Amino acid sequence: MKLGLVGLPNVGKSTLFNSLTKAGAESANYPFCTIDPNVGVVPVPDERLDVLTKMHSSKKTVPAVIEFVDIAGLVKGASQGEGLGNQFLANIREVDAIVHVVRCFEDTNIVHVDGSIDPLRDIETINLELIFSDAEILERRIAKSKRGANNDKKLAKEVEFMERIKAFLEEGKLAKNFELKEGDEDEEAWFKEYNLLTAKPVIYAANVAEDDLANDGADNDGVQKVREFAREEGSEVFVICAQIEQEISDLDDEEKEMFLEDLGLKESGLEKLIRASYRLLGLISFLTTGEDETRAWTITEGTKAPQAAGKIHTDFERGFIRAEVVSFDNLVKYEGMNGAKEHGLVRSEGKEYVVQDGDVVLFRFNV
């Protein structure tokens, strides 16, 4: 999974990236200090892996990972090349979801590019740049496709489809809210192919001061406005203090737990973000374990056993015979596969089995 961090300059985006990835991306109180997108790969915390590793004395533990891309601060006119413009919009096209960092804190020492704190205005500024970029992409495709559309019915249909989306965008609307014709497979395929920025799922990271953390931003007007906005468009929101996250990133696990407890928090911003990402993208994890390795594999909800096996190796999917499946809870309760088998809790599942979160799976296959 790849997440792109976007936001106006000086909203705390690179500070957040640094704390999430410990990658040390430069952070400074001026626009465009992030000139190339920084990339960091972060393991997904999963206590189940520690339990299984200990149970099977696994030589190696491999968590699922999230790739974060820190994309330079956008400004008004980015789609026309203002600031560092199109270069960064292109980077956003490669991600699975956008994490939009929104400033919801006051600090006279940190300048805001628009001179005041207004989360909804900031969201609108970024969204408009993404809309302009999408409209420009479609305009170029329309101009290119029109040449052959007179003699090609399918191409003419696609041109008409692109013009509908472009008109929708020009009303200031996001592509994710555009309704495709029901059952039209062409439209579904084309829409996916265009990879429009405003069609991507969004998670809003409401960056607050430390005082607003304990009650999850309940008293922060900016946070409430972001939550209401996100609710209307079906996006996720989590409250974070990038500065606190940076402090946490330097602590070991025990110190981190004590630090969070002192702040009245149950989890870090990274954990909030991961949960929000998995919910938004409909992701779950299944587990494999043994002496050599214990590992988490990320799949989409609804994935069937052969396709889950294919995440491990394409040969597993091609030669799939069956999957031996037990839930993590039952495996732990009965102290291993043998104990779970004795209680009839290890199931032999076929090609139609839909893998569930926390399934511990052993795949049988022909090479």
Side-chain angles (χ1 to χ4, degrees):
M1 173 169 49
K2 185 184 280 192
L3 302 178
L5 271 68
V6 304
L8 291 172
N10 294 341
V11 297
K13 182 172 53 62
S14 289
T15 302
L16 178 57
F17 174 82
N18 291 347
S19 63
L20 295 179
T21 64
K22 299 185 183 178
E26 182 187 3
S27 178
N29 183 25
Y30 55 88
F32 313 123
C33 68
T34 310
I35 294 181
D36 291 312
N38 292 279
V39 179
V41 176
V42 178
V44 175
D46 192 336
E47 293 176 355
R48 297 173 300 190
L49 293 177
D50 298 330
V51 174
L52 293 177
T53 295
K54 189 174 180 181
M55 182 182 287
H56 296 93
S57 302
S58 304
K59 295 171 187 170
K60 189 164 63 169
T61 306
V62 185
V65 296
I66 293 179
E67 188 174 330
F68 287 103
V69 183
D70 179 27
I71 296 160
L74 297 173
V75 292
K76 286 178 185 174
S79 56
Q80 277 77 51
E82 287 296 322
L84 296 171
N86 286 322
Q87 166 186 354
F88 300 117
L89 292 169
N91 291 325
I92 306 173
R93 293 195 189 278
E94 299 171 8
V95 303
D96 298 307
I98 293 171
V99 179
H100 187 159
V101 184
V102 186
R103 180 171 169 177
C104 297
F105 67 90
E106 296 279 356
D107 188 336
T108 54
N109 295 316
I110 302 175
V111 297
H112 188 290
V113 288
D114 288 327
S116 62
I117 308 304
D118 185 340
L120 295 188
R121 179 201 59 208
D122 293 354
I123 289 172
E124 184 181 16
T125 297
I126 296 291
N127 281 349
L128 283 173
E129 293 310 316
L130 302 184
I131 286 169
F132 293 152
S133 180
D134 281 348
E136 187 185 339
I137 290 283
L138 288 171
E139 194 171 330
R140 288 204 297 266
R141 289 188 73 124
I142 290 166
K144 187 177 178 183
S145 300
K146 266 187 173 176
R147 298 170 200 153
N150 290 335
N151 303 313
D152 186 329
K153 285 185 179 179
K154 189 166 184 179
L155 194 56
K157 178 185 174 183
E158 185 179 2
V159 168
E160 184 271 336
F161 175 62
M162 287 189 287
E163 287 175 335
R164 276 175 29 229
I165 302 175
K166 183 168 173 285
F168 185 82
L169 293 169
E170 286 170 346
E171 291 175 5
K173 298 174 182 176
L174 305 176
K176 69 169 86 175
N177 298 320
F178 181 80
E179 290 187 16
L180 304 176
K181 287 180 182 173
E182 195 173 343
D184 192 320
E185 292 181 3
D186 288 337
E187 288 197 359
E188 288 176 14
W190 290 329
F191 191 78
K192 190 174 180 182
E193 179 191 335
Y194 303 154
N195 195 21
L196 298 173
L197 299 176
T198 60
K200 292 185 181 293
V202 176
I203 303 164
Y204 291 101
N207 190 13
V208 301
E210 181 182 333
D211 292 345
D212 286 324
L213 263 186
N215 67 359
D216 206 32
D219 298 328
N220 185 305
D221 289 340
V223 172
Q224 300 317 312
K225 288 175 182 176
V226 173
R227 282 186 169 136
E228 189 177 336
F229 179 87
R231 197 178 302 117
E232 289 174 3
E233 71 164 30
S235 296
E236 290 275 346
V237 180
F238 73 102
V239 173
I240 196 165
C241 175
Q243 205 60 50
I244 291 294
E245 289 300 312
Q246 194 167 43
E247 291 179 38
I248 290 172
S249 69
D250 295 324
L251 304 177
D252 62 32
D253 288 346
E254 192 175 324
E255 290 172 326
K256 182 176 115 178
E257 197 173 319
M258 289 172 62
F259 188 87
L260 290 172
E261 197 174 310
D262 287 344
L263 291 171
L265 303 175
K266 292 180 180 177
E267 58 185 352
S268 68
L270 174 60
E271 289 161 329
K272 285 183 185 178
L273 175 53
I274 288 171
R275 280 198 297 107
S277 306
Y278 271 62
R279 273 198 309 269
L280 190 67
L281 297 172
L283 301 175
I284 60 171
S285 294
F286 73 90
L287 312 165
T288 55
T289 187
E291 285 185 19
D292 289 335
E293 177 184 277
T294 290
R295 185 165 186 156
W297 304 87
T298 302
I299 56 173
T300 307
E301 285 181 31
T303 299
K304 292 183 178 178
Q307 288 69 51
K311 291 287 288 186
I312 300 174
H313 199 288
T314 51
D315 286 348
F316 284 27
E317 182 175 357
R318 281 197 297 266
F320 179 88
I321 301 172
R322 69 180 188 279
E324 291 182 15
V325 183
V326 60
S327 73
F328 169 80
D329 289 340
N330 283 333
L331 188 71
V332 173
K333 183 177 180 180
Y334 296 104
E335 300 179 348
M337 193 67 82
N338 290 336
K341 279 180 179 175
E342 286 173 11
H343 287 82
L345 296 170
V346 178
R347 309 182 308 278
S348 181
E349 301 286 2
K351 292 183 177 180
E352 294 304 308
Y353 176 69
V354 176
V355 177
Q356 304 297 307
D357 185 57
D359 276 352
V360 182
V361 188
L362 174 64
F363 292 106
R364 302 293 186 187
F365 63 100
N366 282 322
V367 178

